[in-house]
Amino acid sequence: MNKLRRSLLLLLLVLAWALAPLLLSRHLIDLFVFAGLFTIGGLGVGLLLGQCGIVNLAQALFYGIGAYSSAYVTVQLGLPSLTGFLAGMLASALIAIAVGWPVLRLTGFFLALATLALSLIGNVLFFEWDWLTGGTLGIGGIPKLSIFGFAFDTPERVYYLVWPIAILVLLLADNLVRGRPGLAMRAMRDAAPAAEVLGVDMHRLKTAMFVICAMLGSLAGSLFAHYVSYISVQSFTVERSIAFLLIPVVAGSASVWGIIAGALFVTFIPELLSGFGDIHQVLFGLALVLVVTLLPDGLIGGADRLAQLLKRRMA
Amino acid sequence: MSGVVELQSLPSRPPHLPATLELSGIAHSFGGFKVLSDVNFAVPQGQIVGLIGPNGSGKSTCFNIVSGFLSPKAGRVLLSGRDMAADSIQARTRQGLMRTFQTPKVFERMSVLENVMVGLHKDGRSGILASMLRTPSARRELDRLRNTAEGACRKFGLGKLLDAQTGRLPAGQRRVVELARAYVGAPRLLLLDEPSSGLNTEEIEQLRGWIAMLNSEGMTILLVSHDMGLMTIADTVHALYFGEIIASGPMTAIQADPRVREAYLGG
Ligand SMILES: Nc1ncnc2c1ncn2[C@@H]1O[C@H](COP(=O)(O)OP(=O)(O)OP(=O)(O)O)[C@@H](O)[C@H]1O
Ligand SMILES: [Mg+2]
């Protein structure tokens, strides 16, 4: 594709994105907001999976930390919402270092299990520490996000906030992946001993990426708390962690921008299938299996191949 | 902006400092199974030293001990007279040690150029934040890494394969990628574990030329190979048999040595 066509396509996409809230129902805008949140949180998991070869099943923990921090800071302490974002990201980063440093010595299957355990423990703590989290009752009355006096109090406004944030973190991640640390990450993913011999400090790099993943999860969680106004433990279970992991898996794990497609998939497909009644979960499982088996490189790899096929047809 | 200065001094043809590797009294066993017992030899600066021995005689184990993947049960490894016992794999790399693997360990899902760029990782400085923000110095550094790596690729005849996915290359070319990746970081001491295995005669001839080139640029080389023809490139060869050096000398003398003949012919 030449440059002009690419810019044109981008322009069209931006236009469609900007105009969408005018045409969409309130429910659909809602879903797009969630897809934006999942893009942010899923990106962290995607960087670990696609670049570092690490399966992280603990993202719901950090999503929860962000959400509870924002809820606690605004509802209990009455502080400005930005404080909640910062507190959540700081807490997530510290916990990610404390847990990641020892746990990231594990590899493969064992590491995946350890992160799964982390998610489970997190959920138990969210339940037990009800002075902080409200337990099963949760925390309600979380104020709408307001930044420098501007309130993001309608779905449209949040839509116009969440997506630019998502694009920003995707841009930063894209830069990172193309940079020197990105090379080192993929090197340790493909052949750890060789990466080590070439001087890559794998343990430090893995921990750093785990911290970034946690902070993205927390950021998404804080946005989520302000958006829905009410949060409880049910939102931060292992299922949520699995859904976050599915985002890069569906997208094609090494793709940064594909995370958007993965997030849209895990948001919209269950919604579309819910019309089928009770079996919608089975159908979602089927849809997943189809994507993973038919498109080994995920949605993005599949789209690439389709584009190449069309090109050849046209030529 | 110290990072920039660092890289500007990144040499395209690096000056190699003197390096001498010395193994003294090295012993190793795997769960009671003795692999090396009292191995002593040195790799003098600027030389090519060969290590031969039948399958399972402990050559790769020696490499793993020198490069820091294993710590020996006894004995010392000295680099330029300094004991490396406490040094991590990366610390050894920083001191100028580099190795290849018996089964090439290339980064399969990365391009050839990217593989070789990772060989320069240790010479770069830009971290996560600078790379995320694409600071001017991070960008310049990456450009420089790319240029240097590209030069190394061309030197090893990989110029047409820069963007090829390394996992799709035939075995011979993967070895070349691994060699270019090891070379580009300008090591003082290079350990090559069976670089000729899986190569055809023509490729081995080419490999021989490259080894000579690396050596002429000042790299000290320790070479393991089953290819006796290739081994004649070594200044000195040590024959390892059941965990001990049983003969040392030029390849021609080693081939004539009765104990070596016996070891190889299973007498
Ligand atoms: N990690 C390990 N655990 C147990 N035994 C091992 C291990 N690594 C090597 N060995 C054993 O140690 C012995 C020496 O192995 P090594 O790989 O050093 O031999 P080598 O001389 O490199 O052989 P080859 O010519 O086949 O490469 C072999 O018997 C091997 O089975
Ligand atoms: Mg071996």
Side-chain angles (χ1 to χ4, degrees):
Chain A
M1 216 187 309
N2 61 41
K3 225 174 182 151
L4 186 72
R5 266 164 73 187
R6 191 179 284 222
S7 323
L8 221 64
L9 194 70
L10 197 68
L11 191 71
L12 273 174
L13 266 173
V14 171
L15 257 167
W17 168 80
L19 297 176
L22 304 177
L23 310 168
L24 298 177
S25 69
R26 145 105 219 229
H27 179 58
L28 280 174
I29 297 175
D30 233 22
L31 289 176
F32 272 111
V33 168
F34 283 120
L37 296 179
F38 293 156
T39 299
I40 297 167
L43 174 62
V45 185
L47 289 173
L48 284 179
L49 183 72
Q51 307 297 317
C52 310
I54 293 170
V55 174
N56 178 11
L57 275 166
Q59 190 69 327
L61 170 66
F62 301 108
Y63 191 57
I65 291 173
Y68 284 123
S69 298
S70 281
Y72 190 80
V73 162
T74 52
V75 177
Q76 306 286 339
L77 305 180
L79 293 171
S81 31
L82 278 181
T83 330
F85 279 81
L86 293 179
M89 293 213 265
L90 187 67
S92 294
L94 292 177
I95 291 171
I97 292 173
V99 176
W101 190 256
V103 162
L104 288 164
R105 299 222 180 262
L106 302 172
T107 53
F109 191 57
F110 296 102
L111 178 54
L113 279 181
T115 62
L116 179 66
L118 199 58
S119 197
L120 285 166
I121 294 168
N123 198 245
V124 170
L125 292 182
F126 289 150
F127 178 76
E128 291 293 331
W129 292 352
D130 49 7
W131 56 270
L132 182 72
T133 66
T136 31
L137 290 176
I139 303 180
I142 304 165
K144 292 296 175 195
L145 181 56
S146 126
I147 299 173
F148 303 124
F150 185 85
F152 291 88
D153 50 5
T154 64
E156 289 85 358
R157 285 180 173 188
V158 179
Y159 173 95
Y160 287 120
L161 174 72
V162 164
W163 278 101
I165 293 178
I167 299 301
L168 179 70
V169 292
L170 283 165
L171 265 173
L172 293 176
D174 194 49
N175 286 343
L176 175 62
V177 159
R178 289 163 189 273
R180 173 175 171 269
L183 289 169
M185 285 180 232
R186 293 192 294 284
M188 71 181 182
R189 172 198 70 191
D190 282 2
E196 215 166 4
V197 164
L198 295 169
V200 176
D201 188 341
M202 299 204 297
H203 193 225
R204 234 185 90 181
L205 186 55
K206 284 180 186 175
T207 310
M209 291 313 291
F210 194 59
V211 168
I212 287 174
C213 172
M215 289 172 78
L216 286 169
S218 181
L219 173 61
S222 289
L223 288 166
F224 169 74
H226 284 292
Y227 185 57
V228 296
S229 297
Y230 163 79
I231 55 169
S232 76
V233 281
Q234 280 82 8
S235 299
F236 313 111
T237 57
V238 171
E239 280 95 273
R240 176 51 53 211
S241 285
I242 294 173
F244 271 123
L245 182 64
L246 285 179
I247 291 168
V249 169
V250 167
S253 62
S255 158
V256 169
W257 293 97
I259 293 292
I260 297 177
L264 290 171
F265 184 95
V266 302
T267 317
F268 281 90
I269 299 299
E271 192 63 25
L272 288 176
L273 296 173
S274 65
F276 292 97
D278 282 345
I279 57 163
H280 74 274
Q281 282 187 336
V282 178
L283 291 175
F284 182 61
L286 252 164
L288 269 179
V289 171
L290 278 178
V291 169
V292 173
T293 51
L294 294 182
L295 304 171
D297 311 321
L299 293 173
I300 297 305
D304 267 357
R305 254 182 297 162
L306 188 70
Q308 270 167 23
L309 204 77
L310 288 177
K311 218 189 234 168
R312 239 174 293 149
R313 278 277 164 83
M314 303 228 250
Chain B
M1 300 273 143
S2 68
V4 181
V5 177
E6 280 286 344
L7 263 156
Q8 270 166 348
S9 63
L10 189 99
S12 57
R13 177 172 293 219
H16 300 283
L17 301 164
T20 318
L21 178 72
E22 220 181 307
L23 283 75
S24 83
I26 294 291
H28 197 74
S29 52
F30 292 107
F33 175 65
K34 212 165 190 176
V35 175
L36 298 175
S37 52
D38 197 26
V39 170
N40 299 281
F41 69 89
V43 184
Q45 184 217 320
Q47 287 207 350
I48 301 177
V49 170
L51 188 62
I52 63 165
N55 290 114
S57 56
K59 304 179 297 291
S60 294
T61 304
C62 272
F63 269 36
N64 286 336
I65 287 170
V66 172
S67 55
F69 282 87
L70 292 173
S71 32
K73 297 274 148 70
R76 298 192 306 160
V77 180
L78 307 172
L79 188 67
S80 301
R82 204 183 142 275
D83 194 334
M84 292 199 292
D87 297 342
S88 66
I89 296 171
Q90 295 151 50
R92 292 173 203 225
T93 302
R94 281 195 296 273
Q95 289 169 56
L97 193 79
M98 184 51 56
R99 70 167 289 185
T100 64
F101 294 87
Q102 187 164 351
T103 35
K105 294 202 189 304
V106 292
F107 308 126
E108 298 201 348
R109 290 204 274 153
M110 298 170 78
S111 72
V112 166
L113 180 63
E114 283 182 320
N115 263 266
V116 178
M117 283 172 80
V118 179
L120 291 164
H121 178 83
K122 66 185 176 60
D123 298 320
R125 289 290 168 278
S126 38
I128 288 178
L129 204 62
S131 301
M132 269 187 182
L133 299 173
R134 281 190 79 208
T135 61
S137 68
R139 246 183 343 210
R140 269 199 302 271
E141 180 180 271
L142 198 66
D143 282 346
R144 236 171 246 121
L145 294 187
R146 189 175 290 119
N147 290 338
T148 311
E150 213 177 302
C153 285
R154 296 196 195 289
K155 203 158 185 166
F156 287 86
L158 297 167
K160 290 213 171 74
L161 294 171
L162 295 179
D163 296 322
Q165 195 184 331
T166 313
R168 299 228 170 100
L169 299 181
Q173 269 167 344
R174 289 183 198 209
R175 287 225 181 259
V176 180
V177 171
E178 208 189 19
L179 194 64
R181 195 179 67 186
Y183 160 82
V184 77
R188 298 153 63 193
L189 175 68
L190 181 58
L191 314 181
L192 301 172
D193 197 350
E194 308 263 13
S196 59
S197 91
L199 302 192
N200 61 35
T201 351
E202 208 174 303
E203 288 170 324
I204 292 178
E205 220 22 67
Q206 204 171 32
L207 173 69
R208 193 189 167 89
W210 283 327
I211 293 176
M213 173 187 85
L214 300 187
N215 186 235
S216 74
E217 287 189 20
M219 287 183 202
T220 304
I221 293 171
L222 177 60
L223 172 67
V224 163
S225 180
H226 282 301
D227 190 300
M228 296 306 155
L230 176 64
M231 227 12 147
T232 55
I233 198 176
D235 297 293
T236 315
V237 174
H238 302 282
L240 196 61
Y241 188 57
F242 278 117
E244 272 178 276
I245 304 284
I246 55 166
S248 303
M251 192 58 212
T252 41
I254 291 282
Q255 271 173 313
D257 190 288
R259 283 168 302 173
V260 175
R261 300 187 77 95
E262 199 176 310
Y264 269 91
L265 299 172

